[in-house]
Amino acid sequence: MAEERQKSSGEADAWGELVDTARRTVTDGLVVGTSGNVSVRVGDTVLVTPSGVPYDRLTPDDVTGVDLEGRQVLGTLVPTSELPMHLAVYRSTDARAIVHTHAVHATAVSTLVSELPPIHYMTGALGGPVRVAPYATYGTDELAENMLHALADRSACLLQNHGTITYGSTLTQAYDRTAQLEWMCHLWLTARSVPGLTPNILTERQVEEAGERLRGYGQRG
C-alpha cells in the first residue's frame, strides 16, 4: 500500500519531465506501445513510469514513486515491471535518470554480438565499447544482475534479445545516450551489410582519446 503523502514541487516538476521523455521515446521510434520505461531520482525517491499505461494518457496526478528498496511511496499505479533494473542502477551508480527502450537496431545488435564494436568515436561518450548483458527474463533480479555487470564503467549497455538501458545525471542526458546508442547500432548494422567489405573499427586508445575530449565538449560557464 502506498504511503499517503503528497508529491513535492520538485517531484511534480520531475514527473512532468519524465512523462515528456517517455512520450519522446515513442515519438522517436525507440519504443512501441508501452514497451520500455523511464525513471528519475529525486532525493531518495525514484519516480518511474507505471506498468502498462500508454504514455499519452499519463497526467500530473498519475505520479508513481518508490523508495530505493522498491516500496511504493507515491501514487497507486503499479510501477513498471522493470523496476528491479532501475533500482539496481540507482543503488550502484551515481545515476539520477534512466531510460530503457526496445529500439530496433540496438535490439538487433544485441542478438548478434557480445559487445557493440567501436565503429564511431561517440563510443567514448558511453565509457567505452557497449557490452551486451546475457539474456534473462524481463523484470527479474537475474536480468538486473546481468545488466550491472555489463554496465561496469559504462553509462549504457544492450540487453540480449531485449533492448537498451542508459543512465545519466539528467533525463536529457540519459535520453541522449539512448538515442546515440541506437544511432551507433544502426551505423554498425549498415556498414557490416555491405558485401565484400568489413567496417573499420576504432582502437581502444582512439576511443579513450575521444572520451577524454568529449568530457570537455560543449559550452562552459
Side-chain angles (χ1 to χ4, degrees), residues 17 29 43 48 64 72 109 121 131 152 155 163 190-191 212 216 219 221:
E17 188 179 1
V48 62
T64 305
Q72 190 153 2
V109 169
Y121 69 78
R131 306 182 188 101
S155 56
T190 301
E212 290 168 3
Q219 302 298 314

Side-chain angles (χ1 to χ4, degrees), residues 9-21:
S9 60
E11 289 168 341
D13 291 343
W15 177 253
E17 188 179 1
L18 179 149
V19 172
D20 288 345
T21 302

Side-chain angles (χ1 to χ4, degrees), residues 63-148:
V63 61
T64 305
V66 301
D67 64 19
L68 291 172
E69 299 305 316
R71 293 181 289 263
Q72 190 153 2
V73 296
L74 282 171
T76 57
L77 294 176
V78 176
T80 173
S81 59
E82 297 291 12
L83 186 61
M85 276 205 306
H86 290 256
L87 294 179
V89 174
Y90 288 121
R91 290 196 293 254
S92 304
T93 73
D94 60 356
R96 308 302 295 185
I98 296 169
V99 176
H100 165 54
T101 79
H102 294 176
V104 64
H105 298 98
T107 305
V109 169
S110 81
T111 71
L112 298 171
V113 294
S114 60
E115 183 178 275
L116 173 64
I119 195 169
H120 193 273
Y121 69 78
M122 285 302 290
T123 299
L126 302 177
V130 177
R131 306 182 188 101
V132 179
Y135 182 81
T137 303
Y138 79 92
T140 62
D141 290 336
E142 181 185 6
L143 176 59
E145 183 176 350
N146 292 351
M147 172 209 64
L148 281 183

Side-chain angles (χ1 to χ4, degrees), residues 17-210:
E17 188 179 1
L18 179 149
V19 172
D20 288 345
T21 302
R23 289 173 178 167
R24 188 178 175 191
T25 64
V26 177
T27 300
D28 291 353
L30 298 176
V31 302
V32 175
T34 60
S35 65
N37 29 75
V38 178
S39 69
V40 62
R41 180 173 176 176
V42 182
D44 289 331
T45 298
V46 175
L47 307 182
V48 62
T49 47
S51 179
V53 180
Y55 301 143
D56 60 358
R57 296 183 192 171
L58 290 176
T59 72
D61 293 331
D62 291 327
V63 61
T64 305
V66 301
D67 64 19
L68 291 172
E69 299 305 316
R71 293 181 289 263
Q72 190 153 2
V73 296
L74 282 171
T76 57
L77 294 176
V78 176
T80 173
S81 59
E82 297 291 12
L83 186 61
M85 276 205 306
H86 290 256
L87 294 179
V89 174
Y90 288 121
R91 290 196 293 254
S92 304
T93 73
D94 60 356
R96 308 302 295 185
I98 296 169
V99 176
H100 165 54
T101 79
H102 294 176
V104 64
H105 298 98
T107 305
V109 169
S110 81
T111 71
L112 298 171
V113 294
S114 60
E115 183 178 275
L116 173 64
I119 195 169
H120 193 273
Y121 69 78
M122 285 302 290
T123 299
L126 302 177
V130 177
R131 306 182 188 101
V132 179
Y135 182 81
T137 303
Y138 79 92
T140 62
D141 290 336
E142 181 185 6
L143 176 59
E145 183 176 350
N146 292 351
M147 172 209 64
L148 281 183
H149 287 301
L151 277 178
D153 301 316
R154 303 286 188 271
S155 56
C157 75
L158 299 176
L159 307 169
Q160 191 177 59
N161 294 79
H162 184 157
T164 70
I165 191 162
T166 62
Y167 71 84
S169 58
T170 64
L171 277 165
T172 297
Q173 185 179 59
Y175 181 86
D176 287 348
R177 286 172 170 169
T178 299
Q180 191 69 55
L181 176 55
E182 169 67 356
W183 180 84
M184 287 194 297
C185 288
H186 192 180
L187 174 65
W188 182 71
L189 288 170
T190 301
R192 74 187 292 269
S193 69
V194 179
L197 296 176
T198 302
N200 180 65
I201 299 301
L202 299 178
T203 66
E204 182 178 354
R205 183 56 191 153
Q206 287 171 328
V207 171
E208 289 175 353
E209 288 175 346

